[in-house]
Amino acid sequence: MNARDIDPRLGDAAKAFLASKHLALIGGQWVGAKSGKVFDTFDPGTGKVIAQVAECDAADVDAAVAAARKAFESGPWPKMSGSERTKLMWKLADLMEQHADELAQLESLNCGKPLAQMRMGELMFCIEVLRYTAGWATKLNGETIQISTPGNFHAFTLREPIGVVGQIIPWNSPLMMAAWKLAPALATGCTVVLKPAEQTPLTALRLGQLIQEAGFPDGVVNILPGFGPTAGAAIAAHPGVDKVAFTGSGEVGRLILQAASGNLKKVSLELGGKSPVIVFPDADLSLAVPGAARAIFGNSGQVCAAGSRLYAHAKVFDRMVEGIAGEAGKIRVGHGLEAGTQMGPLVSKEQLERVSGYLDQGRRDGVNVVTGGNRIGTEGYFMAPTVLTNTRQEMSVMREEIFGPVLCATRFDDEDLERIAREANNTIYGLAGSVWTRDLGTAHKMARRIRAGTVGVNMHGSLDPAVPFGGFKQSGWGREKGREALELYTEVKTVVMSLG
Ligand code: NAI
Ligand code: MG
């Protein structure tokens, strides 16, 4: 890029990175795509090109898988103890902390997140997930097993790394998705071919440089920017990949499954959601109103666990809707790098069109737009925080993941928890949900009845590295974070010995 085109709000380090070449990391080397192709990456706050990035495809995936295989089978990585892997992961976390401003600026520029939220929020969770998960590298124990067969035996299990792992991540929280995926793979001793989303390749590439600086052996982490149907599909289908981990749409999740069937590679999926926020009449509305607003407007609604369906009891429904609309009106929507911005743009023109399409369909179906419902401005991809009422179950706005700042509000006047839960569970998804009440009994009973991977009580969702995250139903397979994440990256080996 020409230096004068670079956003002046960026610091020197981010500017220097933007001005550099954006190549793929394969076997410890930064290389262009074999085809020589590059693609543009954009600032969604302006719609302008900010950098060109190597466009990897199947040929580059072959090279990256070969490098990852070599690193898995020979060289220093498989010989390292868990403790040595822990140290490398902490080194990487420390480097991320040292470069936090630069990483936050690059992320904000490339995907539109408000800089302060990225710097103080998500980035901290990226760093903490590395540190937390690093601790498990020294605790990958098996069990001793009691044998039922007569005779003298000694049986035990080992937990071994699954092998070469393909990781395909989305654009809504690019660095956090990279950290959630890489941490358990590195802790368990796997090697990785990581593909960032085509919309947001930059922070993964900067992370690749820090991974090298931390001293991970060559080929342990390979990073291939590129598109889904080419690079992504090649990773999912590759016979040399032992496992693929994916976060993104259900549509692509299904394609990944099909591609994975060739060599029956293991698959974990984190797909979408349509998560309910259930507000009981005894809830503390001074918490529930801002909590529900954050649950849907955070990251411009581009969050898989977003609280996109509000179910509020008739006694508090009007106050909830007015309160959330009031919060929406106060949100400062703007460029991610602009000081004071509270909500940034959607990630792309395509995403703006998708969200606008849902709103158009909702209007045709008869929804009432309480606030928002429109694009803001003509430059960049800004969408006003939106609250809809008169939504009915059969409408697409109620059934499908919009992935924008759009809340569907519905009232209930039931006292029967079973029926309330049935309505909240009336979705193909099961990623998250929250219950807002002061009654401990209601909280516990509802937490058990909601069919979702994460239930919040008087809060919605948690990014903490220790809590498992993933979906029931069509929201996915497997759990990331926490101890559960290790299960996605290890095989259990049984050793049985005859002692004679
Ligand atoms: P997507 O599922 O197409 O993209 C996610 C990742 O998958 C990207 O890295 C992409 O390059 C890759 N990919 C795309 N096609 C592929 C293929 N055939 N084989 C392998 N990898 C492939 O998501 P998209 O189109 O960007 O967004 C569409 C919708 O998906 C959103 O509106 C939202 O509803 C949902 N979504 C959910 C996310 C979540 O966190 N669960 C994240 C991103 C999108
Ligand atoms: Mg797609």
Side-chain angles (χ1 to χ4, degrees):
M1 291 298 307
N2 196 319
R4 70 175 172 277
D5 294 327
I6 293 179
D7 196 305
R9 291 168 291 198
L10 296 169
D12 290 344
K15 282 181 182 159
F17 178 76
L18 270 187
S20 71
K21 275 197 148 79
H22 306 293
L23 304 173
L25 178 61
I26 301 181
Q29 302 297 317
W30 290 96
V31 293
K34 285 188 194 300
S35 66
K37 282 198 211 164
V38 292
F39 65 100
D40 290 334
T41 191
F42 300 89
D43 169 0
T46 61
K48 296 202 175 109
V49 176
I50 49 172
Q52 258 129 27
V53 180
E55 184 183 333
C56 297
D57 61 22
D60 308 291
V61 170
D62 281 343
V65 172
R69 177 60 58 192
K70 187 167 163 228
F72 181 71
E73 283 176 1
S74 51
W77 186 241
K79 295 195 194 81
M80 276 187 192
S81 64
S83 164
E84 287 171 292
R85 294 199 304 275
T86 302
K87 282 187 206 131
L88 283 176
M89 290 176 72
W90 272 77
K91 182 86 198 293
L92 177 58
D94 291 347
L95 284 169
M96 289 177 77
E97 207 158 53
Q98 282 164 30
H99 295 276
D101 288 333
E102 178 193 353
L103 288 167
Q105 287 165 18
L106 290 171
E107 189 87 319
S108 173
L109 178 71
N110 202 186
C111 74
K113 280 178 199 296
L115 179 62
Q117 289 173 21
M118 177 64 199
R119 176 70 179 80
M120 304 317 294
E122 269 186 45
L123 191 65
M124 293 298 116
F125 284 108
C126 296
I127 294 167
E128 286 311 314
V129 82
L130 279 167
R131 290 188 176 137
Y132 166 86
T133 315
W136 284 110
T138 51
K139 299 164 193 72
L140 298 170
N141 298 322
E143 294 181 315
T144 54
I145 312 283
Q146 295 292 334
I147 288 281
S148 307
T149 317
N152 291 310
F153 297 96
H154 173 47
F156 59 96
T157 56
L158 298 170
R159 246 180 205 286
E160 296 188 349
I162 210 164
V164 173
V165 177
Q167 301 185 322
I168 301 171
I169 56 173
W171 42 260
N172 54 333
S173 288
L175 196 59
M176 197 167 73
M177 292 298 101
W180 284 22
K181 294 265 183 298
L182 287 172
L186 296 173
T188 52
C190 294
T191 60
V192 177
V193 177
L194 175 81
K195 191 196 86 61
E198 53 271 36
Q199 295 85 348
T200 55
L202 294 181
T203 46
L205 298 178
R206 184 69 185 101
L207 183 65
Q209 296 176 341
L210 299 181
I211 286 169
Q212 287 189 298
E213 197 177 330
F216 283 90
D218 292 349
V220 169
V221 178
N222 304 275
I223 302 179
L224 297 188
F227 288 85
T230 48
I235 292 170
H238 205 289
V241 172
D242 300 304
K243 175 217 161 61
V244 62
F246 170 74
T247 297
S249 62
E251 180 195 346
V252 174
R254 286 179 178 79
L255 294 175
I256 302 253
L257 279 184
Q258 286 163 17
S261 73
N263 70 336
L264 290 173
K265 59 174 65 68
K266 310 299 188 275
V267 177
S268 54
L269 302 170
E270 201 271 272
L271 308 175
K274 193 75 182 171
S275 300
V277 173
I278 309 165
V279 184
F280 285 88
D282 69 335
D284 180 346
L285 296 197
S286 72
L287 294 177
V289 166
R294 271 195 308 277
I296 186 61
F297 302 137
N299 205 26
S300 310
Q302 303 169 120
V303 177
C304 47
S308 49
R309 291 182 297 144
L310 173 74
Y311 287 100
H313 191 277
K315 285 185 187 150
V316 293
F317 180 80
D318 289 340
R319 275 183 287 155
M320 279 301 296
V321 169
E322 278 161 28
I324 296 168
E327 296 278 326
K330 284 189 283 184
I331 294 174
R332 282 176 62 180
V333 180
H335 194 284
L337 291 175
E338 197 58 49
T341 291
Q342 292 168 317
M343 192 173 115
L346 299 177
V347 77
S348 63
K349 184 159 173 285
E350 189 190 8
Q351 202 57 22
L352 178 69
E353 283 164 1
R354 188 176 282 136
V355 175
S356 306
Y358 275 112
L359 289 172
D360 292 345
Q361 185 59 45
R363 286 193 177 93
R364 287 195 291 275
D365 292 341
V367 302
N368 173 45
V369 180
V370 180
T371 185
N374 55 285
R375 179 183 184 181
I376 300 175
T378 52
E379 194 195 72
Y381 311 123
F382 297 93
M383 174 60 72
T386 299
V387 178
L388 307 177
T389 55
N390 289 350
T391 50
R392 290 189 315 277
Q393 182 57 32
E394 66 275 15
M395 297 176 180
S396 60
V397 288
M398 277 288 275
R399 302 174 77 88
E400 294 172 28
E401 181 176 59
I402 297 176
F403 228 60
V406 181
L407 179 67
C408 294
T410 310
R411 95 181 58 217
F412 64 87
D413 49 19
D414 219 309
E415 306 300 329
D416 180 51
L417 298 186
E418 210 62 67
R419 278 201 297 267
I420 296 165
R422 210 174 302 138
E423 199 169 343
N425 289 331
N426 190 1
T427 162
I428 59 169
Y429 294 112
L431 194 59
S434 56
V435 181
W436 301 76
T437 177
R438 288 183 168 106
D439 185 296
L440 208 54
T442 304
H444 276 286
K445 286 180 199 159
M446 285 302 291
R448 281 169 172 70
R449 282 176 172 86
I450 294 174
R451 301 268 303 151
T454 299
V455 179
V457 174
N458 296 327
M459 60 186 287
H460 187 92
S462 166
L463 296 178
D464 191 277
V467 294
F469 182 80
F472 283 35
K473 302 196 270 183
Q474 294 187 29
S475 289
W477 291 3
R479 294 291 178 274
E480 299 189 298
K481 301 195 291 155
R483 182 177 50 72
E484 274 74 3
L486 306 167
E487 288 168 16
L488 300 180
Y489 291 91
T490 49
E491 295 276 22
V492 173
K493 177 182 283 176
T494 301
V495 183
V496 193
M497 300 177 152
S498 170
L499 303 179

